[in-house]
Amino acid sequence: MTVRGIGIDIADIARFDRLWRRGGERFAARWFTGAEIAVCLSRRAVPAALAEHFAVKEAVWKALSPPAWSHALVWRDIAFDARTGSVTLRGRPSGWAPECQVNAQVRSDDRVAVATAIAWQPEVSAT
């Protein structure tokens, strides 16, 4: 395995509480996939779940180390499966490192969500 990059991010849960109260599902639809929203809505603490998923997206972006950045990122193009820790890339992010796989972990307390992501490339056997 060859590591392409490692990313970390911390998201303030109180900020996501405010965003959720102000924008509700309309806010969530701008930033998260339908599957991610469903997972977050199933949790008792929706703002904490949203903060966790957003922290993962930021950590993945950092792990992929995109080239010179000049376009808006569609955050829905980075999707996190909290059950498996796997990350699916679509759109522009999928082109940053097409040969890479990305995994992430996230933990939170009552104030912050902290995520780490690793982008890695499997070894290619020379057979």
Side-chain angles (χ1 to χ4, degrees), residues 47 68 89 105:
L89 303 174
Q105 290 188 324

PDB file of all heavy atoms in Angstrom, residues 47 68 89 105:
ATOM      1  N   PRO A  47     -27.535  17.238  14.705  1.00  0.00           N
ATOM      2  CA  PRO A  47     -26.413  18.157  14.446  1.00  0.00           C
ATOM      3  C   PRO A  47     -25.047  17.499  14.633  1.00  0.00           C
ATOM      4  O   PRO A  47     -24.122  17.762  13.862  1.00  0.00           O
ATOM      5  CB  PRO A  47     -26.626  19.289  15.443  1.00  0.00           C
ATOM      6  CG  PRO A  47     -28.097  19.278  15.701  1.00  0.00           C
ATOM      7  CD  PRO A  47     -28.464  17.818  15.686  1.00  0.00           C
ATOM      8  N   ALA A  68      -4.058  22.621  -7.612  1.00  0.00           N
ATOM      9  CA  ALA A  68      -4.455  24.024  -7.423  1.00  0.00           C
ATOM     10  C   ALA A  68      -5.962  24.158  -7.504  1.00  0.00           C
ATOM     11  O   ALA A  68      -6.583  23.739  -8.468  1.00  0.00           O
ATOM     12  CB  ALA A  68      -3.783  24.893  -8.469  1.00  0.00           C
ATOM     13  N   LEU A  89     -16.161   8.562  -3.969  1.00  0.00           N
ATOM     14  CA  LEU A  89     -15.876   9.826  -4.645  1.00  0.00           C
ATOM     15  C   LEU A  89     -16.583   9.850  -5.990  1.00  0.00           C
ATOM     16  O   LEU A  89     -16.535   8.883  -6.742  1.00  0.00           O
ATOM     17  CB  LEU A  89     -14.374   9.986  -4.864  1.00  0.00           C
ATOM     18  CG  LEU A  89     -13.496   9.910  -3.615  1.00  0.00           C
ATOM     19  CD1 LEU A  89     -12.028   9.931  -4.007  1.00  0.00           C
ATOM     20  CD2 LEU A  89     -13.831  11.035  -2.657  1.00  0.00           C
ATOM     21  N   GLN A 105     -12.417   7.691   9.567  1.00  0.00           N
ATOM     22  CA  GLN A 105     -12.978   7.437  10.892  1.00  0.00           C
ATOM     23  C   GLN A 105     -13.388   8.771  11.480  1.00  0.00           C
ATOM     24  O   GLN A 105     -12.769   9.800  11.195  1.00  0.00           O
ATOM     25  CB  GLN A 105     -11.961   6.798  11.826  1.00  0.00           C
ATOM     26  CG  GLN A 105     -11.618   5.384  11.490  1.00  0.00           C
ATOM     27  CD  GLN A 105     -10.745   4.787  12.587  1.00  0.00           C
ATOM     28  OE1 GLN A 105      -9.902   5.461  13.169  1.00  0.00           O
ATOM     29  NE2 GLN A 105     -10.962   3.524  12.876  1.00  0.00           N
TER      30      GLN A 105
END
